[in-house]
């Protein structure tokens, strides 16, 4: 466990960037068919005809992409204890085919649980940007990590 | 467009229930492999060994299931204008293989956009429950709908 990231490894105020998620038409359509079957997520033509202006990813799909980048960047090598939720999600701009997404993560605040002193609660602010630094999604939420040396 | 659900069709205070989403191991593992590759979402054995007590769905996957039920119940037959986001998501209990999920949706409040009088903003409270009425996920967020007769 010693080599895993713990609560102590996420200091408040830290800002890090990571990820290079390439968004494809196949993936947009595949996710939408399963979880968000609305025309502008399923069909190029319908996307162009909509106010969104092109085939674009479901907002929930963009959340899932954010999570995948978080897993790869830190969750998979952390002494994680899951999450109890999100404080806010803003879908600011549509994510289109050809976008390459990355994350800018800030640690907003953190504290050790009063009831469970082995558990640290870290509040992150995640921003999802594309290759042109357009801000696509803005979210705030929590990850739980073990406190080092407390089991 | 007349037959589609508009802003007027979502009165504040309304409570409706819908959905019967059967959660399978195949779908849990498939979603996790793509978007949340952590052991307790990928493997029965690892799930049992974790604090979650069994193979359980990614919290983001449960959000996607919620959306699918929302699309089927009302979004697909609405004059929808998308969403700008969520106010809160709470992952309260793990969702396991064999759970059948349904939604209890309450309309918290609504208003017509001051800047865009053709657009209505509806704030919903969605609760995801299983067949034993266990509350699994609690979320508050927005859907946008056209106002009837305003284009």
């Amino acid at each position: 466990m010693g080599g895993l990231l713990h609560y102590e490894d996420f200091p408040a105020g830290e800002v890090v960037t990571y990820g290079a998620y390439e968004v494809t038409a196949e993936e947009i359509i595949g996710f939408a068919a399963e979880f968000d079957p609305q025309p502008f997520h399923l069909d190029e033509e319908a996307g162009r005809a909509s106010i969104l202006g092109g085939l674009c990813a479901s907002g929930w799909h963009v959340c899932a992409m954010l999570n995948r980048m978080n897993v790869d960047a830190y969750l998979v090598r952390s002494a994680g204890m899951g999450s109890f939720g999100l404080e806010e999600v803003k879908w600011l701009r549509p994510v289109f085919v050809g976008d390459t997404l990355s994350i800018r993560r800030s640690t907003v605040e953190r504290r050790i649980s009063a009831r469970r002193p082995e558990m640290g609660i870290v509040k992150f602010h995640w921003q999802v940007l594309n290759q042109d630094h357009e801000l696509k999604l803005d979210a705030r939420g929590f990850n739980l990590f073990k406190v080092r040396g407390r089991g």
Side-chain angles (χ1 to χ4, degrees), chain A:
Chain A
M1 294 286 282
L4 297 176
L5 296 170
H6 282 65
Y7 172 72
E8 290 80 354
D9 300 310
F10 300 95
E14 184 186 42
V15 179
V16 294
T17 58
Y18 47 84
Y21 198 109
E22 292 179 28
V23 180
T24 66
E26 291 68 27
E27 193 184 317
I28 287 178
I29 293 167
F31 186 98
E34 205 168 350
F35 300 114
D36 202 352
Q38 302 192 75
F40 36 88
H41 299 316
L42 287 168
D43 184 78
E44 194 86 41
E45 193 93 357
R48 272 197 301 272
S50 78
I51 50 165
L52 298 165
L55 181 68
C56 67
S58 165
W60 299 99
H61 189 183
V62 184
C63 287
M65 296 178 194
L66 162 64
N67 190 62
R68 177 59 195 252
M69 286 185 270
N70 286 346
V71 170
D72 290 347
Y74 65 100
L75 290 175
V76 79
R77 58 194 180 92
S78 76
M81 303 177 75
S83 172
F84 50 73
L86 305 168
E87 213 175 70
E88 189 175 44
V89 175
K90 293 185 208 160
W91 291 302
L92 297 170
R93 290 182 183 82
V95 168
F96 295 111
V97 175
D99 274 334
T100 299
L101 303 178
S102 63
I103 307 298
R104 184 176 188 274
R105 187 195 78 199
S106 312
T107 306
V108 180
E109 57 187 33
R110 65 174 195 176
R111 64 186 173 85
I112 292 174
S113 168
R115 286 164 61 192
R116 297 181 62 184
E118 78 282 12
M119 184 171 84
I121 301 165
V122 182
K123 180 169 155 185
F124 289 119
H125 176 204
W126 299 287
Q127 295 182 301
V128 179
L129 303 131
N130 79 349
Q131 67 282 359
D132 299 322
H133 311 288
E134 282 181 346
L135 182 58
K136 300 288 193 176
L137 180 148
D138 195 288
R140 280 158 230 271
F142 300 90
N143 284 151
L144 308 173
F145 300 100
K146 286 187 182 167
V147 176
R148 199 160 261 130
R150 295 194 186 167

mmCIF file of all heavy atoms in Angstrom, chain A residues 50-67:
data_model
loop_
_atom_site.group_PDB
_atom_site.id
_atom_site.type_symbol
_atom_site.label_atom_id
_atom_site.label_comp_id
_atom_site.label_asym_id
_atom_site.label_seq_id
_atom_site.Cartn_x
_atom_site.Cartn_y
_atom_site.Cartn_z
ATOM 1 N N SER A 50 -29.299 20.413 -35.601
ATOM 2 C CA SER A 50 -29.700 20.843 -34.253
ATOM 3 C C SER A 50 -28.972 22.126 -33.856
ATOM 4 O O SER A 50 -28.031 22.553 -34.533
ATOM 5 C CB SER A 50 -29.376 19.745 -33.234
ATOM 6 O OG SER A 50 -27.991 19.756 -32.925
ATOM 7 N N ILE A 51 -29.387 22.720 -32.736
ATOM 8 C CA ILE A 51 -28.700 23.921 -32.243
ATOM 9 C C ILE A 51 -27.254 23.628 -31.849
ATOM 10 O O ILE A 51 -26.447 24.537 -31.706
ATOM 11 C CB ILE A 51 -29.420 24.553 -31.019
ATOM 12 C CG1 ILE A 51 -29.718 23.502 -29.939
ATOM 13 C CG2 ILE A 51 -30.688 25.283 -31.436
ATOM 14 C CD1 ILE A 51 -30.075 24.127 -28.578
ATOM 15 N N LEU A 52 -26.894 22.360 -31.704
ATOM 16 C CA LEU A 52 -25.531 22.007 -31.293
ATOM 17 C C LEU A 52 -24.551 22.112 -32.459
ATOM 18 O O LEU A 52 -23.351 22.289 -32.261
ATOM 19 C CB LEU A 52 -25.529 20.602 -30.701
ATOM 20 C CG LEU A 52 -26.405 20.478 -29.428
ATOM 21 C CD1 LEU A 52 -26.681 19.023 -29.090
ATOM 22 C CD2 LEU A 52 -25.752 21.189 -28.253
ATOM 23 N N GLY A 53 -25.045 21.983 -33.689
ATOM 24 C CA GLY A 53 -24.219 22.254 -34.861
ATOM 25 C C GLY A 53 -23.384 21.098 -35.380
ATOM 26 O O GLY A 53 -22.582 21.270 -36.286
ATOM 27 N N GLY A 54 -23.561 19.911 -34.814
ATOM 28 C CA GLY A 54 -22.795 18.764 -35.308
ATOM 29 C C GLY A 54 -23.015 17.574 -34.398
ATOM 30 O O GLY A 54 -23.596 17.712 -33.317
ATOM 31 N N LEU A 55 -22.556 16.412 -34.840
ATOM 32 C CA LEU A 55 -22.650 15.208 -33.998
ATOM 33 C C LEU A 55 -21.830 15.449 -32.739
ATOM 34 O O LEU A 55 -20.623 15.714 -32.826
ATOM 35 C CB LEU A 55 -22.095 13.999 -34.759
ATOM 36 C CG LEU A 55 -22.148 12.664 -34.013
ATOM 37 C CD1 LEU A 55 -23.581 12.188 -33.816
ATOM 38 C CD2 LEU A 55 -21.336 11.605 -34.743
ATOM 39 N N CYS A 56 -22.473 15.395 -31.596
ATOM 40 C CA CYS A 56 -21.736 15.677 -30.363
ATOM 41 C C CYS A 56 -22.065 14.657 -29.291
ATOM 42 O O CYS A 56 -23.099 13.999 -29.305
ATOM 43 C CB CYS A 56 -22.000 17.095 -29.882
ATOM 44 S SG CYS A 56 -23.666 17.323 -29.349
ATOM 45 N N ALA A 57 -21.131 14.522 -28.374
ATOM 46 C CA ALA A 57 -21.219 13.487 -27.335
ATOM 47 C C ALA A 57 -22.268 13.852 -26.299
ATOM 48 O O ALA A 57 -22.419 15.024 -25.930
ATOM 49 C CB ALA A 57 -19.866 13.311 -26.652
ATOM 50 N N SER A 58 -22.957 12.853 -25.799
ATOM 51 C CA SER A 58 -23.829 13.020 -24.633
ATOM 52 C C SER A 58 -23.031 13.646 -23.492
ATOM 53 O O SER A 58 -21.863 13.309 -23.268
ATOM 54 C CB SER A 58 -24.327 11.637 -24.202
ATOM 55 O OG SER A 58 -24.889 11.691 -22.901
ATOM 56 N N GLY A 59 -23.672 14.535 -22.757
ATOM 57 C CA GLY A 59 -23.007 15.133 -21.597
ATOM 58 C C GLY A 59 -22.572 14.078 -20.588
ATOM 59 O O GLY A 59 -21.514 14.196 -19.949
ATOM 60 N N TRP A 60 -23.362 13.023 -20.485
ATOM 61 C CA TRP A 60 -23.014 11.923 -19.568
ATOM 62 C C TRP A 60 -21.811 11.160 -20.079
ATOM 63 O O TRP A 60 -21.028 10.607 -19.293
ATOM 64 C CB TRP A 60 -24.210 10.993 -19.400
ATOM 65 C CG TRP A 60 -25.395 11.693 -18.815
ATOM 66 C CD1 TRP A 60 -26.479 12.179 -19.491
ATOM 67 C CD2 TRP A 60 -25.603 12.036 -17.441
ATOM 68 N NE1 TRP A 60 -27.343 12.772 -18.620
ATOM 69 C CE2 TRP A 60 -26.845 12.694 -17.359
ATOM 70 C CE3 TRP A 60 -24.854 11.826 -16.266
ATOM 71 C CZ2 TRP A 60 -27.366 13.166 -16.146
ATOM 72 C CZ3 TRP A 60 -25.378 12.285 -15.062
ATOM 73 C CH2 TRP A 60 -26.612 12.942 -15.013
ATOM 74 N N HIS A 61 -21.673 11.102 -21.377
ATOM 75 C CA HIS A 61 -20.507 10.467 -21.988
ATOM 76 C C HIS A 61 -19.242 11.276 -21.655
ATOM 77 O O HIS A 61 -18.204 10.716 -21.309
ATOM 78 C CB HIS A 61 -20.733 10.378 -23.501
ATOM 79 C CG HIS A 61 -19.724 9.566 -24.240
ATOM 80 N ND1 HIS A 61 -19.753 9.435 -25.605
ATOM 81 C CD2 HIS A 61 -18.637 8.846 -23.832
ATOM 82 C CE1 HIS A 61 -18.736 8.687 -25.994
ATOM 83 N NE2 HIS A 61 -18.052 8.307 -24.935
ATOM 84 N N VAL A 62 -19.364 12.594 -21.712
ATOM 85 C CA VAL A 62 -18.204 13.439 -21.386
ATOM 86 C C VAL A 62 -17.809 13.238 -19.919
ATOM 87 O O VAL A 62 -16.621 13.176 -19.589
ATOM 88 C CB VAL A 62 -18.491 14.920 -21.698
ATOM 89 C CG1 VAL A 62 -17.244 15.763 -21.444
ATOM 90 C CG2 VAL A 62 -18.953 15.085 -23.142
ATOM 91 N N CYS A 63 -18.817 13.082 -19.045
ATOM 92 C CA CYS A 63 -18.523 12.750 -17.639
ATOM 93 C C CYS A 63 -17.747 11.434 -17.542
ATOM 94 O O CYS A 63 -16.795 11.314 -16.772
ATOM 95 C CB CYS A 63 -19.819 12.622 -16.850
ATOM 96 S SG CYS A 63 -20.648 14.181 -16.508
ATOM 97 N N ALA A 64 -18.177 10.452 -18.320
ATOM 98 C CA ALA A 64 -17.509 9.145 -18.302
ATOM 99 C C ALA A 64 -16.075 9.252 -18.828
ATOM 100 O O ALA A 64 -15.158 8.614 -18.313
ATOM 101 C CB ALA A 64 -18.314 8.135 -19.119
ATOM 102 N N MET A 65 -15.872 10.101 -19.847
ATOM 103 C CA MET A 65 -14.507 10.326 -20.363
ATOM 104 C C MET A 65 -13.636 10.980 -19.289
ATOM 105 O O MET A 65 -12.468 10.611 -19.108
ATOM 106 C CB MET A 65 -14.555 11.235 -21.591
ATOM 107 C CG MET A 65 -15.291 10.667 -22.802
ATOM 108 S SD MET A 65 -15.299 11.924 -24.142
ATOM 109 C CE MET A 65 -16.539 11.244 -25.242
ATOM 110 N N LEU A 66 -14.197 11.966 -18.596
ATOM 111 C CA LEU A 66 -13.490 12.606 -17.475
ATOM 112 C C LEU A 66 -13.068 11.545 -16.466
ATOM 113 O O LEU A 66 -11.913 11.511 -16.017
ATOM 114 C CB LEU A 66 -14.418 13.642 -16.817
ATOM 115 C CG LEU A 66 -14.061 14.107 -15.402
ATOM 116 C CD1 LEU A 66 -12.715 14.839 -15.383
ATOM 117 C CD2 LEU A 66 -15.156 15.023 -14.836
ATOM 118 N N ASN A 67 -13.996 10.659 -16.119
ATOM 119 C CA ASN A 67 -13.660 9.639 -15.129
ATOM 120 C C ASN A 67 -12.543 8.729 -15.629
ATOM 121 O O ASN A 67 -11.625 8.394 -14.882
ATOM 122 C CB ASN A 67 -14.878 8.805 -14.768
ATOM 123 C CG ASN A 67 -14.595 7.916 -13.578
ATOM 124 O OD1 ASN A 67 -14.311 8.405 -12.490
ATOM 125 N ND2 ASN A 67 -14.601 6.604 -13.783
#
